[in-house]
């Protein structure tokens, strides 16, 4: 089996670590080799968070080289853009369109680009394999904005790039989220799943 | 975490490198663990904190790394297997203890974990801690993966016990914070029932004893040589007709191994598991018939220089590449791309750049920042208000509050290490006419701020010493410390009072204030500035991340009719929940925690709470 490389990018506090552990946990359960890199420490205070998940028969390093991601899963549109060199022509780029404006912009030292007029069109220019979704509104529809990481896990699953079945990933989500929010998270998962499934038909 | 206590040999699970290190220690029967938290080693302590009691061992957060080293040393001298772990710069703090501990040695196994941070993801420097192994004559192992980290820890305990000296295990961020599949072996019962058998001729480091201990240490290191030669962590990954030989250790090995396997490169690799002492015979055998050798190691040319010396004897014609040849750098961590570029140059194969490129925008940076509700923000704002435009030098320290360096607060001007705020503030106050502030947190105060306070008062320095007490060690993940009333084992503890310590040192101006009350805080600082000598101000309010677990305050909002768009809130206070679009200010309700600090900052009372929490 070939190896699958995932790059998850976003902002500290978006549930990116949990997301990568959902995928890693499902892969372990299936008996695959898994190697991941995580971010702990200062960057979690609202900084850029990049985690990787590599799955396969044998995985040698925890980092993904430029152009070698099979999927770039972006939790924030500017961060997706920043990570674009991790993707090549064959890479699926899935991005949340809901921005998180850094404080450097609020205090007037920097500008935040327009998502609609600049970021998304530029992403569309550089790849045909772009899927956009507003994970935050889908999460709110499912019950709470906090489930947006699970919306994105659902979207990743719908791509059918992972060597894992939908049910296997859902089981892993169940292991990672609190019991009382399970239903909400399952609905969030389906919303993301359906968004990419229709593209992949 | 309870999973780590399962005695289920053969079980495979996904562990963070730091969790694998803990499991390794449990499989070695650790009886004592001590640390001061520091990234990337922090999760080792966080994990022990959860399981130490159930396992039956002793674990403590010491006030600093030196104390952690000393308590672990006494445990091992008493026959109890012990481990002390810390980040790379923590080893500097503990090094005074470690250097002479090597002379007196230990009786049960003692392992020191030094977690390096190439690329400085969470650190003030990226020093290569491996050089301590040479400075102190310390046997050293370098694991490459979480699985290997677990095995290396176990082996390090055995080596330490055999040689009766501590063993250093050196990791880096991509081992500590990598997560991989780890297979459990048998769990061992924790060491206990220590007894210290006196032997002053060995354990009391007066000159006549040390004169005997140093030759003993050198002898023990000679005994370590065959151990290194036999180490199963040292391994050759051969190729039938290699065009390039590689010697590597640590996290850097993973990338060269990946390049070899996935691109089928004609290279052979010697991975070194034990890197002090080096297995010289194996290195000689490996390079004897080689033509060209690349040394792959992160940071300094630690192996490269030694391999060059070895090659002079056995293969003077060998061409050696690495840092000195410019193929690799001694700056920042490696990644698959950096290694591929170096190797493709040496193998003369085309390195294909196959990745997307997008139109270049000036993307906004996203530095880490103080959280919404962070009490440090109120403190910094109040200091500036009290100064009323007067210039001051802000001597900062290591912790969340260092983030005051960002716009718009700009309350960090000088920082070198843990505890440096206070010593440097004294130096600034004696050598300039400027108003001086020292900022440090409660945990850092107990770590290394106390001696600076006593020294500064004795030498009649003149500055405002701001001890920002948020009741925890926040940046590394909320570990308790001597001022919190809780131990690493989760037991209640006596509380050390910062105020009493300051008064005990003879400080006349000691005031505590809640920085959520901005007006009062400004007043305290105004008086502290006026005071001659060191004035100690303790802004005291729990870390917002901790407090928000217990409370649920309604968010604030901006009354657009009252707002005069003066931008004092964003330009002077700068909470990240305040959003400015054009001239309009709004509050991001998801981020706002309802602390109310910004409402006090607004000159027009335009910021109001939305209702009851």
């Amino acid at each position: 089996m070939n190896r699958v490389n995932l790059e998850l990018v976003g902002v500290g506090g978006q549930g990116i670590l949990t997301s990568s552990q959902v995928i890693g946990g499902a892969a372990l359960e299936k008996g695959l080799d898994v190697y991941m890199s995580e971010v702990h420490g200062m960057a979690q205070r609202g900084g850029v968070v990049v985690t990787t998940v590599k799955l396969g028969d044998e995985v040698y390093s925890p980092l993904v080289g430029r152009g070698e991601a099979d999927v770039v899963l972006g939790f924030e549109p500017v961060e997706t853009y920043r990570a674009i060199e991790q993707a090549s022509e064959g890479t699926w780029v899935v991005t949340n369109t809901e921005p998180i404006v850094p404080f450097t912009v609020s205090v007037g030292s920097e500008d935040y680009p327009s998502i609609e007029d600049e970021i998304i069109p530029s992403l569309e220019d550089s790849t045909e394999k772009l899927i956009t979704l507003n994970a935050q509104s889908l999460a709110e529809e499912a019950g709470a904005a906090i489930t947006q990481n699970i919306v994105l896990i659902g979207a990743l699953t719908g791509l059918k790039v992972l060597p894992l079945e939908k049910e296997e990933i859902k089981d892993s989500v169940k292991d990672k989220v609190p019991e009382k929010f399970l239903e909400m998270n399952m609905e969030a998962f389906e919303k993301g799943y359906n968004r990419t499934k229709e593209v992949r038909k | 975490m309870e999973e780590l206590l399962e005695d289920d040999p053969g079980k495979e699970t996904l562990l963070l490198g730091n969790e694998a290190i803990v499991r390794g220690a449990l499989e070695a029967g650790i009886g004592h663990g001590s640390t001061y938290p520091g990234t990337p080693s922090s999760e080792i302590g966080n994990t022990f904190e959860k399981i130490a009691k159930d396992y039956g061992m002793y674990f403590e957060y010491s006030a600093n790394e030196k104390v952690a080293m000393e308590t672990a040393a006494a445990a091992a001298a008493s026959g109890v297997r012990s481990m002390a772990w810390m980040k790379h710069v923590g080893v500097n703090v503990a090094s005074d203890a470690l250097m002479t501990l090597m002379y007196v040695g230990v009786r049960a196994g003692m392992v020191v974990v030094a977690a390096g941070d190439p690329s400085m993801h969470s650190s003030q420097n990226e020093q290569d801690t491996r050089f301590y192994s040479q400075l102190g004559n310390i046997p050293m192992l370098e694991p490459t993966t979480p699985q290997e980290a677990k095995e290396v820890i176990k082996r390090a305990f055995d080596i330490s016990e055999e040689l009766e000296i501590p063993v250093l295990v050196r990791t880096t961020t991509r081992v500590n914070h990598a997560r991989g599949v780890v297979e459990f072996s048998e769990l061992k019962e924790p060491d206990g029932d220590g007894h210290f058998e006196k032997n002053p001729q060995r354990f009391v480091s007066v000159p006549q004893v040390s004169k005997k201990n140093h030759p003993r240490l050198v002898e023990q290191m000679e005994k370590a040589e065959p151990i290194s030669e036999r180490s199963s962590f040292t391994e050759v990954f051969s190729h039938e007709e290699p065009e390039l030989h590689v010697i590597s250790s640590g996290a850097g090995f993973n990338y060269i191994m990946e390049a070899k396997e996935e691109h089928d490169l004609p290279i052979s690799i010697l991975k070194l598991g034990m890197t002090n002492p080096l297995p010289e015979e194996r290195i000689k055998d490996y390079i004897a018939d080689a033509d060209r050798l690349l040394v792959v190691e992160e940071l300094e040319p630690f192996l490269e220089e030694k391999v060059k010396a070895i090659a002079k004897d056995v293969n003077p014609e060998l061409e050696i590449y690495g840092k000195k040849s410019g193929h690799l750098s001694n700056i920042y961590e490696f990644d698959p791309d950096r290694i591929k570029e170096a190797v493709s140059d040496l193998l003369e194969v085309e390195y294909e750049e196959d990745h997307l490129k997008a139109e270049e925008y000036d993307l906004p940076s996203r530095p880490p920042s103080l959280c919404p509700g962070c009490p440090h923000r109120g403190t910094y704002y109040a200091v500036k208000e009290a100064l009323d435009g007067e210039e001051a030098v802000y001597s900062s320290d290591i912790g969340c509050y260092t983030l005051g360096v960002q716009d718009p607060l700009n309350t960090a001007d000088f920082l070198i290490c843990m505890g440096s705020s206070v010593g440097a503030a004294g130096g600034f106050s004696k050598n300039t006419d400027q108003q001086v502030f020292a900022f440090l947190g409660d945990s850092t105060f107990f770590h290394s701020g106390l001696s600076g306070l006593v020294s500064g008062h004795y030498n009649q320095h003149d500055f405002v010493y701001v001890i920002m007490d948020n009741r925890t060690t926040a940046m590394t993940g909320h570990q308790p410390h001597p001022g919190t009333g809780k131990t690493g084992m989760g037991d209640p503890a006596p509380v050390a009072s910062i105020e009493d310590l300051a008064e005990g040192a003879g400080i006349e101006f000691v005031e505590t204030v809640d920085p959520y009350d901005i007006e009062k805080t400004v007043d305290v600082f105004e008086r502290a500035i006026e005071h001659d000598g060191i004035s100690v101000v303790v802004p005291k309010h729990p870390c917002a991340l901790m407090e928000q677990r217990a409370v649920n305050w309604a968010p604030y909002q901006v009354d657009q009719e009252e707002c005069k768009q003066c931008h004092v809130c964003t330009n002077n206070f700068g909470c990240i929940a305040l959003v400015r679009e054009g001239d309009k200010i709004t509050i991001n309700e998801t981020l706002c925690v309802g602390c109310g600090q910004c409402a006090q900052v607004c000159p027009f009372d335009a910021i109001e709470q939305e209702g009851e929490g």
Side-chain angles (χ1 to χ4, degrees):
Chain A
M1 185 192 69
N2 288 331
R3 200 183 65 206
V4 176
N5 294 338
L6 309 177
E7 183 117 341
L8 287 71
V9 299
V11 180
Q14 285 195 293
I16 298 173
L17 282 191
T18 308
S19 305
S20 55
Q21 286 167 19
V22 163
I23 303 302
L28 175 81
E29 197 61 33
K30 198 163 190 173
L32 300 176
D33 194 14
V34 190
Y35 211 160
M36 304 156 56
S37 72
E38 299 185 356
V39 172
H40 298 262
M42 196 180 241
Q44 282 181 293
R45 300 278 180 272
V48 178
V49 168
V50 178
T51 72
T52 59
V53 185
K54 293 164 79 171
L55 319 168
D57 295 330
E58 190 162 9
V59 188
Y60 296 95
S61 95
L63 296 182
V64 174
R66 275 195 301 275
E68 289 187 356
D70 294 286
V71 181
V72 170
L73 189 62
F75 287 60
E76 202 278 346
V78 160
E79 296 315 318
T80 308
Y81 205 84
R82 217 191 292 277
I84 199 64
E85 291 197 352
Q86 298 304 105
S88 55
E89 257 177 45
T91 305
W92 282 103
V93 178
V94 180
T95 187
N96 185 4
T97 53
E98 182 69 24
I100 297 179
V101 178
F103 74 90
T104 51
V105 174
S106 289
V107 302
S109 350
E110 293 184 303
D111 295 318
Y112 191 87
S114 159
I115 300 304
E116 242 171 71
D117 301 332
E118 295 177 288
I119 294 297
I120 301 299
S122 291
L123 286 172
E124 279 167 347
D125 284 347
S126 46
T127 178
E128 285 170 11
K129 301 182 82 172
L130 175 74
I131 298 177
T132 61
L133 68 165
N134 190 315
Q136 182 162 315
S137 31
L138 291 174
E140 279 164 2
E141 283 172 28
I146 197 159
T147 63
Q148 61 176 308
N149 62 333
I150 304 302
V151 172
L152 287 161
I153 289 295
L156 171 67
T157 308
L159 289 174
K160 306 207 162 81
V161 172
L162 297 176
L164 297 163
E165 301 300 324
K166 182 182 176 186
E167 288 310 313
E168 292 168 334
I169 297 172
K170 283 178 82 169
D171 284 347
S172 188
V173 172
K174 285 176 195 161
D175 285 346
K176 293 281 186 296
V177 301
E179 180 77 42
K180 59 175 175 174
F181 300 125
L182 185 60
E183 207 176 313
M184 195 193 285
N185 277 292
M186 287 296 119
E187 204 177 323
F189 183 94
E190 290 298 336
K191 286 189 183 292
Y193 184 84
N194 291 335
R195 172 72 185 99
T196 45
K197 203 185 75 180
E198 66 191 49
V199 180
R200 286 289 271 156
K201 258 181 204 159
Chain B
M1 273 325 95
E2 292 70 25
E3 187 186 20
L4 289 178
L5 292 173
E6 286 173 20
D7 194 12
D8 191 0
K11 175 181 174 154
E12 290 192 336
T13 187
L14 264 188
L15 293 185
L16 197 63
N18 281 336
E19 293 164 353
I21 286 170
V22 171
R23 176 70 193 193
L26 301 179
E27 290 180 3
I30 184 175
H32 171 110
S34 42
T35 190
Y36 182 80
T39 310
S41 76
S42 306
E43 297 76 19
I44 303 175
N46 298 350
T47 306
F48 274 120
E49 189 181 331
K50 294 186 187 105
I51 62 169
K53 230 176 210 174
D54 289 340
Y55 176 62
M57 64 176 283
Y58 175 73
F59 162 66
E60 72 170 41
Y61 288 114
S62 307
N64 64 33
E65 294 87 352
K66 181 170 176 287
V67 177
M69 184 74 75
E70 291 155 350
T71 55
S78 308
V80 175
R81 282 192 161 192
S82 72
M83 188 162 88
W85 58 96
M86 55 207 68
K87 68 185 294 172
H88 57 314
V89 285
V91 182
N92 302 338
V93 178
S95 63
D96 196 12
L98 181 59
M99 292 300 114
T100 308
L101 172 60
M102 295 312 298
Y103 277 35
V104 304
V106 288
R107 284 181 170 132
M110 173 171 168
V111 176
V112 177
V113 180
D117 190 17
S119 283
M120 298 161 280
H121 299 281
S122 281
S123 303
Q124 65 268 40
N125 77 23
E126 56 177 352
Q127 70 183 44
D128 193 332
T129 312
R130 294 180 298 173
F131 287 97
Y132 273 109
S133 70
Q134 276 189 290
L135 190 60
N137 273 306
I138 316 169
M140 174 172 66
L141 294 118
E142 290 185 71
T144 59
T145 64
Q147 171 74 47
E148 201 174 58
K150 190 200 80 162
E151 301 304 329
V152 157
I153 292 286
K154 269 164 70 179
R155 181 71 186 119
F157 272 106
D158 289 341
I159 295 171
S160 168
E161 211 151 276
E162 186 181 334
L163 299 172
E164 292 201 15
I165 49 176
V167 169
L168 183 65
V169 174
R170 193 265 190 162
T171 58
T172 53
T173 303
R174 299 301 178 185
V175 176
N176 298 93
H177 288 168
R179 193 178 286 274
V181 182
V182 174
E183 187 184 335
F184 284 1
S185 308
E186 235 166 79
L187 209 59
K188 249 178 99 175
E189 288 288 311
D191 250 359
D193 298 328
H195 179 79
F196 181 66
E197 275 173 42
K198 296 184 186 191
N199 181 0
Q201 288 305 311
R202 175 176 164 190
F203 287 105
V204 182
S205 297
V206 291
Q208 77 264 24
V209 171
S210 292
K211 280 176 189 175
K212 285 186 286 181
N213 274 342
H214 191 195
R216 175 187 161 274
L217 173 58
V218 171
E219 226 171 81
Q220 295 310 90
M221 280 307 280
E222 279 165 16
K223 288 184 197 159
E225 285 169 17
I227 294 175
S228 180
E229 295 289 354
R230 290 195 311 266
S231 174
S232 61
F233 301 113
T234 292
E235 212 177 329
V236 174
F237 299 88
S238 57
H239 188 275
E240 282 166 17
E241 287 176 61
E243 287 174 32
L244 181 70
H245 282 68
V246 174
I247 290 182
S248 186
S249 73
F253 162 77
N254 298 323
Y255 312 117
I256 187 75
M257 188 65 189
E258 183 171 78
K260 172 179 160 64
E261 291 299 311
E262 300 205 344
H263 301 278
D264 208 13
L265 298 177
I267 59 175
S268 138
I269 306 172
L270 169 63
K271 174 178 93 87
L272 297 174
M274 190 160 178
T275 46
N276 196 45
L278 280 179
E280 289 202 18
E281 295 307 317
R282 284 177 83 169
I283 292 172
K284 282 180 189 167
D285 285 350
Y286 180 70
I287 62 175
D289 300 319
D291 300 323
R292 303 189 315 150
L293 177 79
L294 173 68
V295 182
V296 177
E297 59 186 324
E298 288 177 317
L299 302 178
E300 303 302 326
F302 178 84
L303 300 174
E304 190 175 322
E305 297 291 348
K306 290 183 182 153
V307 168
K308 271 185 184 159
I310 295 170
K312 273 202 177 104
D313 293 337
V314 291
N315 185 353
E317 302 298 309
L318 179 66
E319 286 177 47
I320 300 178
Y321 305 99
K323 320 273 180 190
K324 297 285 167 173
S325 68
H327 286 87
L328 292 166
S329 164
N330 54 357
I331 302 167
Y332 308 149
E333 68 178 1
F334 289 164
D335 59 32
D337 299 311
R338 293 180 84 183
I339 297 300
K340 264 187 278 173
E341 279 162 28
V343 174
S344 52
D345 181 65
L346 289 168
L347 295 177
E348 290 174 7
V349 291
E350 195 73 25
Y351 174 62
E352 283 173 46
E353 283 263 328
D354 175 26
H355 60 78
L356 296 186
K357 291 181 188 75
E359 192 181 332
E360 278 186 29
Y361 284 119
D362 255 344
L363 295 179
S365 60
R366 201 183 289 278
S369 58
L370 296 175
C371 304
C374 179
H376 298 332
R377 192 177 278 108
T379 299
Y380 284 140
Y381 176 84
V383 163
K384 292 212 144 167
E385 284 294 294
L387 281 166
D388 196 21
E390 189 199 339
E391 189 220 38
V393 177
Y394 304 116
S395 186
S396 194
D397 223 299
I398 306 272
C400 289
Y401 41 86
T402 316
L403 296 172
V405 72
Q406 312 284 11
D407 286 340
L409 297 167
N410 309 116
T411 44
D413 295 319
F414 190 82
L415 165 67
I416 44 183
C417 65
M418 288 286 286
S420 73
S421 61
V422 54
F428 286 123
S429 83
K430 282 287 177 190
N431 293 285
T432 71
D433 290 334
Q434 290 156 295
Q435 171 66 48
V436 181
F437 282 81
F439 293 119
L440 93 174
D442 40 346
S443 188
T444 308
F445 175 72
F446 292 117
H447 178 283
S448 49
L450 196 46
S451 45
L453 173 67
V454 175
S455 177
H457 181 62
Y458 161 62
N459 288 302
Q460 294 154 64
H461 296 168
D462 181 11
F463 58 89
V464 183
Y465 192 10
V466 189
I467 305 167
M468 306 162 88
D469 186 357
N470 63 358
R471 316 301 304 137
T472 188
T473 316
M475 179 61 89
T476 47
H478 300 106
Q479 294 83 3
H481 63 63
T484 58
K486 201 184 125 191
T487 69
M489 301 284 281
D491 294 323
V495 178
S497 155
I498 295 169
E499 294 86 345
D500 288 354
L501 285 165
E503 279 168 9
I507 304 292
E508 286 161 9
F509 187 110
V510 181
E511 288 210 28
T512 301
V513 66
D514 183 348
Y516 270 22
D517 186 333
I518 303 259
E519 197 181 324
K520 227 181 216 168
T521 309
V522 173
D523 173 65
V524 172
F525 280 124
E526 280 172 350
R527 288 183 289 111
I529 291 166
E530 286 306 310
H531 179 81
D532 285 332
I534 297 178
S535 44
V536 169
V537 178
V538 187
K540 196 175 199 164
H541 196 102
C543 167
L545 294 178
M546 282 197 324
E547 190 169 52
Q548 292 302 320
R549 288 176 202 154
V551 299
N552 185 20
W553 298 323
Y556 280 68
Q557 62 186 7
V558 179
D559 182 337
Q560 297 300 338
E561 294 195 356
E562 296 297 323
C563 178
K564 304 284 181 287
Q565 304 190 336
C566 69
H567 302 140
V568 162
C569 59
T570 50
N571 291 350
N572 299 1
F573 184 69
C575 176
I576 58 173
L578 293 161
V579 181
R580 178 176 171 172
E581 280 165 294
D583 281 332
K584 188 181 170 187
I585 303 292
T586 53
I587 289 176
N588 178 325
E589 283 183 33
T590 321
L591 289 176
C592 178
V593 298
C595 75
Q597 291 183 81
C598 62
Q600 300 172 56
V601 164
C602 176
F604 302 102
D605 292 330
I607 303 177
E608 296 163 339
Q609 202 159 17
E610 282 175 21
E612 297 301 310

